[in-house]
Amino acid sequence: MSLKIKALTKSIWVFHLAASPCNNCDIEILDLLTPRYDVERFGIQLVGSVRHADAILVTGSMNRKARQRLKRVIAQAAKPCFVIAIGNCSCSMEMFANSYNQMECLDNVSEVHAYIAGCPPKPEAMIQGVVALIQAQLAALKK
Amino acid sequence: MSIVQGIGYLVIGFLAAAIIGMFAHWFDRKITARVQWRVGPPFFQPVYDLVKLLAKEVIVPEGASRFLFLSAPLFGLAAVSVVSALLIRTVIFPQQTFLGDLIVVIYLLTIPSQAVILGAFASANPLASLGGSREMKLILSYELPFVLAILVPVIKAGETIKLGVILQHQATEGAVIASISGVIAFVISLICMQAKLAKVPFDVPEAETEIMGGAYIEYSGAALGLFKLTQWMMMFVVPFFLMMLFIGAVNWRQSWLNIVWAALIYIGILLFITLVRNTNPRLRIDQIMKFFWAKITPIAIVAVILAFLGL
Ligand code: SF4
């Protein structure tokens, strides 16, 4: 395993992108930073600018207006950057699927690297999702 | 001094500042985490962060001035490396310094801030230029009391602007900090250092929660990594500079124990920076200017007068 990959998995800076969520998922994401879960142990940090991000956490079912912004923000990230869908909303649009202001699901708009289901998902589930993503990437690299 | 020697000193200065600076950054984050009752990052976190950033894509935003945008981080890094080399050389050979090296160090120490301003304005982002203009006002606020505070050791050591002479004077006659004016000037320079390092309560140019990293908002990949490295190196260079001026830093000729002693003092200063940053809210830029110009500068002038009177 090269140093570069190791460094990337040990220092994941995440950018939080709220695409019209109900805010519950966002609260759970912020829970990750509190003393109880403290993801800084693994080098995970919340950053304010998408240019610094290694992973983008998308929450919410993405309405018409949020969709355009989301496309632009994801395009602005420096590669390699992973998109993680958090919550049933961004995974599958859930009960908003037939709503008048929804257009399409997140994975039609951008490539999604990990889905974390739940409404809202527990912080443990999010950590597990990120770990699974890292392992999948490492396994893909080994091949 | 030949060119080869010069490059050697530069490399040593860069490496020492980078390694100690990374430790300082880890220490800062770890103590912050402990203050908040968290576990905190592992010891090698700064190394991982840096390697990761160096390996990532660098994006030059549309409308940005490409040359300035990409060269700004290098200016800052080069300046801190030179300061670090100068300081380390002065500690090793106090007799061999040139006239006015103190002034050179003061000038070079402002270059990282200027690099941030240049980079911010070159990136054509409104939030970045806001951060840049705040950084500029911050420099205007703290630079005057900082220089006044530095005048105190200069006067104490017999009105010299040679760092080596200041060091040797303290080795024979005792540290500057052991006098009233010395204590006042040291406290003032600690406060100015907090502003120089752009730490809370003076972190207005970055202000993660309000202007999203401010000056650094458009930076990504290696360019951001170099900026971060410069910041970390400043966390070694500025406290070390103050230690040389006020405490006499490493008087290693007397005994090797002094190096341990100096390391402990350095960690104490780091602890001070971190605790202040964790227990204070961010000030507005106008509050900062009022604080430095109306409160700190007069006290600094008093310290200089006291030093003239020999207190
Ligand atoms: S998944 Fe549930 S908690 Fe999360 S944003 Fe959607 S409705 Fe809210």
Side-chain angles (χ1 to χ4, degrees):
Chain A
M1 190 165 45
S2 74
L3 186 65
K4 188 173 135 186
I5 307 294
K6 185 163 185 206
L8 185 62
T9 57
K10 292 250 180 192
S11 144
I12 304 175
W13 291 2
V14 296
F15 178 78
H16 178 188
L17 209 170
S20 56
C22 79
N23 257 348
N24 257 349
C25 282
D26 309 89
I27 294 170
E28 294 299 316
I29 288 178
L30 293 183
D31 270 356
L32 286 173
L33 307 172
T34 55
R36 188 172 180 117
Y37 299 103
D38 186 27
V39 284
E40 206 188 1
R41 283 178 295 159
F42 314 119
I44 300 180
Q45 241 185 330
L46 203 60
V47 290
S49 162
V50 72
R51 299 263 197 228
H52 308 175
D54 305 307
I56 301 180
L57 309 178
V58 185
T59 59
S61 58
M62 202 173 51
N63 59 26
R64 274 168 203 277
K65 296 220 162 149
R67 182 170 167 272
Q68 301 160 8
R69 270 88 184 167
L70 181 130
K71 270 187 180 168
R72 272 175 61 190
V73 169
I74 291 182
Q76 279 173 353
K79 305 284 168 299
C81 184
F82 298 101
V83 177
I84 303 177
I86 291 197
N88 285 348
C89 274
S90 49
C91 289
S92 66
M93 300 171 80
E94 220 195 353
M95 69 259 201
F96 304 109
N98 299 320
S99 180
Y100 68 95
N101 63 352
Q102 307 292 321
M103 295 182 72
E104 53 192 333
C105 196
L106 175 66
D107 41 13
N108 290 338
V109 177
S110 128
E111 191 188 352
V112 177
H113 298 89
Y115 297 88
I116 298 171
C119 180
K122 283 196 148 213
E124 289 95 334
M126 295 186 198
I127 296 179
Q128 197 195 5
V130 173
V131 170
L133 174 63
I134 292 173
Q135 279 168 353
Q137 293 295 328
L138 291 181
L141 273 170
K142 273 202 189 111
K143 267 177 201 164
Chain B
M1 188 167 65
S2 69
I3 292 183
V4 180
Q5 252 179 326
I7 293 175
Y9 278 121
L10 257 185
V11 171
I12 293 174
F14 169 77
L15 285 180
I19 292 169
I20 302 178
M22 279 184 187
F23 164 77
H25 177 66
W26 169 80
F27 186 77
D28 179 63
R29 277 173 72 176
K30 186 81 181 175
I31 295 292
T32 305
R34 293 311 297 158
V35 168
Q36 297 168 355
W37 217 249
R38 292 188 286 118
V39 178
F43 186 70
F44 286 108
Q45 191 59 46
V47 182
Y48 298 139
D49 285 352
L50 186 69
V51 173
K52 176 205 76 179
L53 283 174
L54 290 182
K56 272 193 82 147
E57 182 194 8
V58 182
I59 299 177
V60 180
E62 212 178 88
S65 151
R66 194 182 172 83
F67 172 72
L68 215 51
F69 184 78
L70 291 179
S71 59
L74 290 176
F75 289 149
L77 193 70
V80 218
S81 311
V82 173
V83 177
S84 166
L86 258 176
L87 295 184
I88 289 176
R89 195 181 126 83
T90 309
V91 168
I92 300 175
F93 307 110
Q95 293 91 354
Q96 291 184 13
T97 52
F98 57 92
L99 187 65
D101 53 356
L102 180 66
I103 294 175
V104 172
V105 169
I106 294 176
Y107 266 105
L108 284 178
L109 278 181
T110 62
I111 290 187
S113 312
Q114 290 168 15
V116 171
I117 297 173
L118 278 180
F121 285 141
S123 66
N125 182 308
L127 289 179
S129 47
L130 201 61
S133 86
R134 285 178 177 192
E135 176 87 44
M136 207 183 288
K137 286 168 199 148
L138 195 63
I139 298 181
L140 287 179
S141 323
Y142 69 69
E143 204 61 24
L144 179 62
F146 189 63
V147 171
L148 282 174
I150 289 173
L151 274 184
V152 170
V154 169
I155 295 168
K156 288 266 170 200
E159 288 165 28
T160 169
I161 43 173
K162 271 174 128 175
L163 262 175
V165 177
I166 295 179
L167 267 186
Q168 279 177 322
H169 174 85
Q170 296 190 74
T172 50
E173 322 248 315
V176 171
I177 199 171
S179 62
I180 302 174
S181 56
V183 171
I184 301 175
F186 185 63
V187 172
I188 289 171
S189 59
L190 278 185
I191 297 173
C192 294
M193 174 181 71
Q194 193 87 4
K196 224 177 183 30
L197 300 174
K199 295 270 180 207
V200 188
F202 309 115
D203 72 330
V204 277
E206 280 183 51
E208 276 276 315
T209 45
E210 105 191 54
I211 52 173
M212 312 296 155
Y216 307 114
I217 189 166
E218 288 289 346
Y219 275 96
S220 58
L224 180 68
L226 292 189
F227 260 138
K228 293 268 171 203
L229 186 62
T230 312
Q231 270 185 341
W232 303 342
M233 286 163 76
M234 285 289 274
M235 280 181 78
F236 161 67
V237 169
V238 185
F240 190 60
F241 179 49
L242 295 186
M243 278 165 62
M244 282 173 73
L245 285 179
F246 290 96
I247 304 169
V250 210
N251 193 0
W252 56 277
R253 271 169 218 281
Q254 260 171 17
S255 89
W256 284 99
L257 264 185
N258 276 341
I259 293 182
V260 180
W261 185 225
L264 284 180
I265 295 177
Y266 173 64
I267 289 180
I269 294 180
L270 279 186
L271 195 64
F272 170 82
I273 300 175
T274 311
L275 290 183
V276 168
R277 133 178 144 82
N278 274 300
T279 46
N280 282 283
R282 181 183 311 125
L283 294 174
R284 280 198 318 267
I285 190 74
D286 60 317
Q287 290 171 326
I288 293 179
M289 286 200 116
K290 273 197 201 116
F291 175 73
F292 276 112
W293 284 8
K295 297 201 178 111
I296 297 295
T297 309
I299 302 176
I301 292 174
V302 170
V304 172
I305 295 173
L306 283 179
F308 258 120
L309 297 177
L311 285 169

